[in-house]
Amino acid sequence: MPEPSSSAAANSPTEDTGTVSEQSRSAGVVLTEDLLSDSPPGTWVPDYLPGCERMTLPLGTDEEGPFCATLVRLRQQPPATDRPHSTGQPHSTEQARSEAAPVLQIHGWTDYFYNLPTARRWAAAGHPFYALDLRKYGRSLRAHHTPGHIENLADYDAEISAALDVIATQHPDAPPPILCGHSTGGLVAALWAADHQQAVTALVLNSPWLELPGDVPARAAAEGLISPLSRINPLATVKVPRLENYWESLSDEAHGEWQLHPQWRPRKMFPMTLGWLRAVFAGHRRVHGGLGLDLPVLVLLSTGTVYRPQWTPEYQENDGVLDVDLLARRAVRLGHRVTVVRVPGAMHDVFATREPVRSEAFAEVARWMRAYGE
């Protein structure tokens, strides 16, 4: 994996350019209930995040109508890095200064890309940064959609492949991308990488949802109830408590730091459809059987999990969504070179945690990248 330049790697873990709340409001950004419309075909248009652009990736039509994904890029140009020529032969300075692997980030459930400091840190380390809002999420959500609904996680191949095609045209001489995923996006990224191992340089997984809390017995019981019903009515929803505790930990309208779109990241999570749950459980079963990834994998997790009926400050120092000890055990089934790092004081989204916790998480990423640099 390409290593960040020494100066960028030294600076990026400790520099933070502020939260999206600070950055967006300083740029006069006001988030409303409005959903977006598609960009013109093949065209980058300004994004609401300062310094970013977005492009709609049309994907076709399903039973709900047209659907798409949205690729976001940071316009900031990363510094060139000096890396050895792959043949080991003498080369010119111009040949030596080549582009590092781009980064493609995939969000989690009831989520979208909003973490501009993450993008800027990757760019400071030399990596062009892109993020993908999957179909029926965030910038890709339309009024006729059931938010987040999908019935087979492998269907995300369409938008991931489309995004990588665009990235390849933007960076024709760069190595394959580093694929990053958070929570459900981490599960999606790991499954996709297992099916396209030559298309990815490495995986960075931020609290990936690799198993249902309660482990295999709980998942087997849930599947036994849900799978038959999901085949009859995949859009039916599961009646479970939809707490606001995690949203309160993130949002600057409560106890958090981040300015969140009210429909893209609502106070309560999206209703979980039976078809979506069946797809997630199938992904969990596949991870449990082992993915056999033959590429470097970094898994970042909090050191603790907290479940409470009401919000408490513990939510901002622990994972309030998933069982991190179970995730740590399951992570080693991903492949042959898996590094699990536990970050004290981290929330479910490690990179959305307060300073200095997120800086320490980026320092871990930088150390890991140096260890696996080529």
Side-chain angles (χ1 to χ4, degrees):
M1 181 172 62
E3 182 178 349
S5 63
S6 57
S7 59
N11 292 334
S12 61
T14 57
E15 291 180 353
D16 195 288
T17 54
T19 64
V20 170
S21 294
E22 297 163 345
Q23 294 162 357
S24 296
R25 293 203 167 108
S26 67
V29 174
V30 177
L31 291 180
T32 68
E33 295 277 348
D34 296 339
L35 301 177
L36 298 181
S37 56
D38 293 358
S39 69
T43 302
W44 292 102
V45 299
D47 189 61
Y48 87 92
L49 289 176
C52 292
E53 297 174 318
R54 64 179 175 92
M55 177 191 291
T56 301
L57 305 175
L59 299 174
T61 302
D62 64 10
E63 66 279 358
E64 295 188 319
F67 65 98
C68 65
T70 308
L71 186 62
V72 182
R73 71 175 178 184
L74 181 67
R75 288 198 303 268
Q76 177 181 339
Q77 294 299 311
T81 59
D82 293 330
R83 298 200 309 277
H85 194 270
S86 59
T87 63
Q89 300 300 315
H91 52 276
S92 68
T93 301
E94 183 176 351
Q95 288 174 316
R97 296 185 65 79
S98 56
E99 204 168 35
V103 168
L104 178 62
Q105 179 170 296
I106 302 175
H107 58 81
W109 175 244
T110 317
D111 210 351
Y112 68 101
F113 169 61
Y114 60 84
N115 195 321
L116 192 53
T118 290
R120 289 180 169 165
R121 284 181 183 270
W122 278 111
H127 298 269
F129 181 87
Y130 294 80
L132 185 63
D133 280 9
L134 300 169
R135 68 186 72 180
K136 305 184 182 183
Y137 286 94
R139 297 163 180 82
S140 310
L141 182 63
R142 303 293 180 262
H144 59 276
H145 290 158
T146 299
H149 178 71
I150 201 166
E151 295 176 32
N152 188 338
L153 298 184
D155 290 345
Y156 287 131
D157 181 90
E159 48 256 69
I160 296 173
S161 297
L164 293 184
D165 286 345
V166 173
I167 293 171
T169 63
Q170 300 290 313
H171 310 278
D173 299 322
I178 299 167
L179 194 57
C180 301
H182 167 56
S183 198
T184 311
L187 175 63
V188 170
L191 296 172
W192 191 91
D195 294 332
H196 304 81
Q197 297 215 35
Q198 301 307 310
V200 185
T201 290
L203 278 179
V204 176
L205 305 180
N206 167 10
S207 304
W209 189 17
L210 303 178
E211 184 57 274
L212 190 70
D215 210 338
V216 175
R219 171 163 48 82
E223 278 194 288
L225 293 172
I226 286 171
S227 292
L229 297 174
S230 70
R231 292 182 173 87
I232 298 171
N233 185 3
L235 288 173
T237 58
V238 180
K239 306 301 181 185
V240 296
R242 295 165 58 204
L243 303 177
E244 298 181 9
N245 294 340
Y246 185 49
W247 177 90
E248 290 187 47
S249 298
L250 290 171
S251 175
D252 65 351
E253 296 181 38
H255 307 284
E257 304 177 57
W258 305 91
Q259 184 184 22
L260 303 175
H261 190 285
Q263 291 207 53
W264 301 349
R265 181 83 210 193
R267 299 176 71 96
K268 297 180 180 180
M269 68 178 178
F270 297 153
M272 294 185 292
T273 65
L274 297 179
W276 174 80
L277 273 172
R278 179 161 55 96
V280 169
F281 292 159
H284 290 166
R285 269 190 284 108
R286 191 173 169 198
V287 170
H288 181 260
L291 295 187
L293 289 166
D294 190 24
L295 52 88
V297 181
L298 173 64
V299 177
L300 296 164
L301 301 168
S302 179
T303 53
T305 294
V306 59
Y307 297 131
R308 299 284 185 271
Q310 303 294 330
W311 186 89
T312 76
E314 296 172 280
Y315 273 94
Q316 291 184 301
E317 298 180 349
N318 296 274
D319 191 317
V321 179
L322 298 176
D323 180 343
V324 291
D325 292 334
L326 173 57
L327 298 185
R329 296 195 301 271
R330 193 63 83 247
V332 296
R333 295 178 182 257
L334 294 174
H336 311 301
R337 287 181 286 167
V338 178
T339 304
V340 177
V341 173
R342 307 295 291 269
V343 182
M347 294 194 299
H348 177 54
D349 187 342
V350 174
F351 296 131
T353 309
R354 69 187 189 283
E355 284 290 339
V357 176
R358 62 177 180 255
S359 282
E360 177 54 34
F362 277 100
E364 294 287 356
V365 173
R367 282 191 284 270
W368 175 77
M369 290 175 65
R370 287 194 293 272
Y372 281 101
E374 294 180 356

